[in-house]
Amino acid sequence: MAEVIPQLDEQVDPGPRDAVGHFLFAWSQLSALGGAVLLFAACALSVYSVAGRWLSGTPVLGDVEMVQMACALAIAACLPYAQMKNAHVIVDFFTASAPLGVRRTLDRIASLVLAAAAAVIAWRSFVGAVEAANSGESSMILGWPLWWSYLTLGPGFLLLSLTGLYTAWKGSMHNEVGEQQ
Amino acid sequence: MSSVTIGFLVGGLTLVLLALRIHIGMAMLVGGSIGYIAVSGWDPLMSYFKHLAYGRFSVYDLSVVPLFLLMGNIASHGGLSRRLFEATNAFLGHYRGGVAMSAIGACAGFGAICGSSLATAATMGKVALPELRRNRYSPALATGALAAGGTLGILIPPSVVLVIYAILAEQNVAAMFMAALIPGLIAMFGYMVVVAIYARVVPDAGPASVRMNWPQRMVAVGRVWPIVTVFVVVIGGIYGGIFTPTEAAAVGTIATTALAVISRELDFKGFTHAVFGAAESTAMIFLILLGADVLNAFLALSQMPQALAQWVLGSGMSPAAVLIGIILVYLLLGCVMDSLSMILLTIPIFLPIVMGLDYWGLNPTDKAIWFGILALMVVEIGLITPPVGMNVFIINSLAKDIPMRETFRGVLPFLASDLVRIALLALFPALSLWLVHVLGG
């Protein structure tokens, strides 16, 4: 299921009902929306650059770098939303016949692991950003400082970590396609 | 403990974590991290983590993935799938089994926009299943054809799994797309032949529908040609070396959005669905990629893949036996895992083995490309076989009155065509490589 799990239902997910969940879900949605806007911006830039190369032989300078950066940020921004929707992929073949309680417990542990890993990555990305700022590391073509690119991944992973904690606390429900509710 | 031993232990640990419902990406990340610490220590791991996420997410060749997902989602919400199906049906519907063949043809067309099998199955299923049932196709044939047709989403380029393979195997993404085209078309024709035979062997399984006249056909074609043109330009641009795949995805996304909005097929609600769907899939794929990156970094440190490759080479097994063994492993893994995770977990281990053996005297680049297409075809089989045939589940969830058993039974003949195609590709690498050589990928 690492591919697109298509939305089979036409209903918009109302999301969690409690205040914390509601807050996190709203932020995750906003974050994913921001990611999508960035992706469209990357598309527009790329098209503009291709058109420039074709029509006048002058592509946008550093278009590849800008698309790379936009996509990296967009991807990180989408991560928490997928966690709130329980969309991150698991293998449930071996535990399919285990009692529901066992599955729920395992899912909570999995969410905690995700929360911990995301927190570590957010922290290390931050450290990496500070170091890049100190060393003046910059992108190859545009010469933009890279520290802020590293930094932009932080919020996505931080929010991912929080959503992981939330799903570990509330218990996550993996709604596999084909699994009866 | 030697690092190779640690490599095997970490492989085992990762599989245990996977079985215990840890997210696939996280299981690979945790397993890989523990191995990394055991071989190099804590500080190197923490230092590696500093650039892990950015390093992985900002790869330009991977930028194509979210963009293609966006394009596929917009196309599927923009009514394109229905028009494709109406167009193929206008030409094929009056043959026996023709509506199912049209569904397969439309799946292939949709696969040229969408890099995912599940999305193709779901999108085309929603459009074609009601039509198949209206024409009183047997439940087994109707759902089987759609579940199998859905796999064309990934067999016909562009394909997310191929992009990932290209990066793992350090091959050109465009060349991989070229290599997949002919095998993908063979898959489509193979499925159509299966439908034709099925409809003749099983009476009343696929009754012929009304023949359309030419004016009606032209109307159907007229409704579909703008979008077809866009995709011919996009994919042709990649093959012709005019764009990079990432640029092609960008052009395709903008063009698809524009067409869907102009034709008023895409309202605001559909658009938000498409965008959030793309966001979700992007996140899913990249979380797995992130974990796989850690695991692969560790595997490279441990030298375990090389040791395994050495062992296989030294054991004197024939290349054919090794290849068959690899295919069997994929078929087994396909019972529990999705195609992308399988590729990410196994390619770092299998590729060095394959590269060390001689297959038809292929040079290293050709061999890597050919093996990638072969692996792609084999992992896709997992989508239509029990116990976790995701395509089957998706199609079946659209037709709740049809028992799952019936759908799996309907898939069987298509499975046979898959196996024949895999054997053909294994025996004749030129099926994938010819186009790459002609186009000079």
Side-chain angles (χ1 to χ4, degrees):
Chain A
M1 293 138 277
E3 307 170 49
V4 193
I5 288 262
Q7 287 180 313
L8 294 171
D9 58 319
E10 289 298 328
Q11 268 104 53
V12 176
D13 190 339
R17 305 235 177 254
D18 61 303
V20 180
H22 195 78
F23 177 78
L24 284 174
F25 193 57
W27 270 109
S28 305
Q29 279 182 315
L30 260 180
S31 176
L33 209 56
V37 170
L38 266 172
L39 288 181
F40 272 109
C43 285
L45 173 73
S46 215
V47 170
Y48 182 70
S49 180
V50 168
R53 195 172 62 204
W54 256 47
L55 299 176
S56 56
T58 49
V60 177
L61 181 72
D63 58 335
V64 169
E65 281 184 355
M66 285 188 266
V67 169
Q68 273 174 315
M69 289 175 190
C71 285
L73 176 52
I75 293 160
C78 291
L79 291 171
Y81 176 71
Q83 176 59 18
M84 286 309 277
K85 299 267 287 185
N86 283 324
H88 288 304
V89 193
I90 65 160
V91 172
D92 77 336
F93 173 71
F94 299 100
T95 46
S97 55
L100 189 63
V102 173
R103 276 185 282 158
R104 291 252 167 94
T105 310
L106 288 173
D107 286 344
R108 283 171 191 235
I109 295 171
S111 290
L112 273 182
V113 170
L114 179 79
V120 171
I121 292 173
W123 164 50
R124 295 317 296 176
S125 295
F126 179 72
V127 173
V130 171
E131 282 179 11
N134 288 336
S135 70
E137 201 182 329
S138 58
S139 74
M140 231 133 52
I141 298 170
L142 295 168
W144 290 354
L146 271 181
W147 64 267
W148 63 263
S149 305
Y150 294 139
L151 202 61
T152 49
L153 296 190
F157 279 96
L158 204 60
L159 193 55
L160 176 64
S161 184
L162 292 177
T163 55
L165 284 178
Y166 172 78
T167 42
W169 167 43
K170 284 283 177 184
S172 62
M173 302 274 291
H174 282 278
N175 301 332
E176 300 288 325
V177 178
E179 186 180 283
Q180 294 303 317
Q181 304 297 301
Chain B
M1 211 170 8
S2 77
S3 57
V4 173
T5 318
I6 300 175
F8 281 103
L9 288 177
V10 163
L13 172 72
T14 306
L15 291 181
V16 170
L17 291 175
L18 280 178
L20 291 175
R21 301 174 76 90
I22 303 287
H23 300 94
I24 291 182
M26 289 300 113
M28 293 197 262
L29 187 137
V30 170
S33 300
I34 291 175
Y36 207 108
I37 294 169
V39 174
S40 297
W42 173 263
D43 289 338
L45 176 73
M46 286 297 111
S47 162
Y48 163 69
F49 265 10
K50 281 187 289 203
H51 303 288
L52 166 69
Y54 191 75
R56 183 37 83 195
F57 292 176
S58 69
V59 174
Y60 184 66
D61 272 348
L62 279 178
S63 305
V64 74
V65 172
L67 302 187
F68 269 133
L69 289 171
L70 201 55
M71 168 160 88
N73 270 283
I74 287 170
S76 95
H77 286 273
L80 164 72
S81 43
R82 187 170 348 97
R83 293 197 210 174
L84 269 173
F85 175 65
E86 280 164 5
T88 49
N89 201 29
F91 287 91
L92 296 172
H94 62 283
Y95 293 108
R96 213 185 280 178
V99 184
M101 287 187 222
S102 315
I104 285 166
C107 281
F110 196 73
I113 306 152
C114 179
S116 149
S117 291
L118 302 180
T120 305
T123 309
M124 291 313 305
K126 263 185 261 181
V127 172
L129 202 55
E131 194 64 15
L132 286 161
R133 308 209 73 183
R134 205 172 58 76
N135 281 289
R136 276 183 261 146
Y137 272 57
S138 81
L141 177 60
T143 52
L146 281 170
T151 64
L152 292 171
I154 218 155
L155 296 179
I156 301 226
S159 150
V160 171
V161 176
L162 271 186
V163 173
I164 308 294
Y165 177 85
I167 287 164
L168 285 175
E170 295 172 356
Q171 294 301 319
N172 183 318
V173 177
M176 292 304 304
F177 283 0
M178 291 172 200
L181 186 66
I182 291 176
L185 292 175
I186 294 176
M188 179 186 82
F189 286 117
Y191 290 159
M192 286 185 174
V193 169
V194 168
V195 172
I197 296 173
Y198 196 116
R200 278 165 182 76
V201 170
V202 184
D204 301 330
S209 165
V210 197
R211 181 191 278 269
M212 303 260 183
N213 58 29
W214 277 98
Q216 284 169 314
R217 288 176 181 177
M218 285 303 118
V219 170
V221 170
R223 282 165 53 81
V224 85
W225 74 262
I227 199 93
V228 170
T229 311
V230 168
F231 293 109
V232 167
V233 168
V234 166
I235 299 299
I238 299 179
Y239 288 172
I242 299 167
F243 322 122
T244 65
T246 307
E247 286 167 345
V251 171
T253 307
I254 298 288
T256 316
T257 313
L259 279 178
V261 170
I262 291 167
S263 67
R264 301 188 183 195
E265 291 266 16
L266 189 68
D267 55 5
F268 185 71
K269 189 163 158 258
F271 184 71
T272 41
H273 269 302
V275 162
F276 277 111
E280 209 175 306
S281 318
T282 302
M284 260 188 276
I285 289 172
F286 279 86
L287 193 72
I288 297 174
L289 279 174
L290 191 73
D293 212 34
V294 179
L295 186 61
N296 292 343
F298 157 69
L299 284 178
L301 277 179
S302 77
Q303 305 271 312
M304 183 268 249
Q306 289 84 339
L308 195 65
Q310 283 304 322
W311 178 78
V312 171
L313 297 184
S315 71
M317 271 189 274
S318 74
V322 173
L323 192 65
I324 290 171
I326 288 177
I327 290 176
L328 287 179
V329 169
Y330 277 134
L331 290 178
L332 280 179
L333 277 180
C335 294
V336 297
M337 229 185 250
D338 65 278
S339 42
L340 182 68
S341 307
M342 269 199 277
I343 291 284
L344 282 167
L345 266 179
T346 59
I347 290 300
I349 294 167
F350 288 167
L351 194 64
I353 298 178
V354 170
M355 295 310 275
L357 293 165
D358 178 54
Y359 289 101
W360 316 109
L362 294 174
N363 70 41
T365 308
D366 282 356
K367 198 165 22 176
I369 293 176
W370 164 73
F371 179 66
I373 305 299
L374 197 63
L376 176 79
M377 307 229 138
V378 182
V379 296
E380 274 310 285
I381 287 189
L383 282 173
I384 52 172
T385 48
V388 281
M390 289 299 296
N391 272 13
V392 173
F393 289 152
I394 285 181
I395 297 300
N396 204 268
S397 70
L398 296 173
K400 297 222 186 289
D401 56 316
I402 299 175
M404 192 75 85
R405 203 162 16 88
E406 195 74 351
T407 309
F408 274 122
R409 205 167 58 83
V411 157
L412 277 180
F414 296 98
L415 215 50
S417 122
D418 277 341
L419 294 176
V420 169
R421 174 162 32 85
I422 287 165
L424 276 177
L425 184 63
L427 293 172
F428 305 104
L431 288 176
S432 59
L433 295 172
W434 177 77
L435 193 65
V436 183
H437 293 159
V438 168
L439 294 173

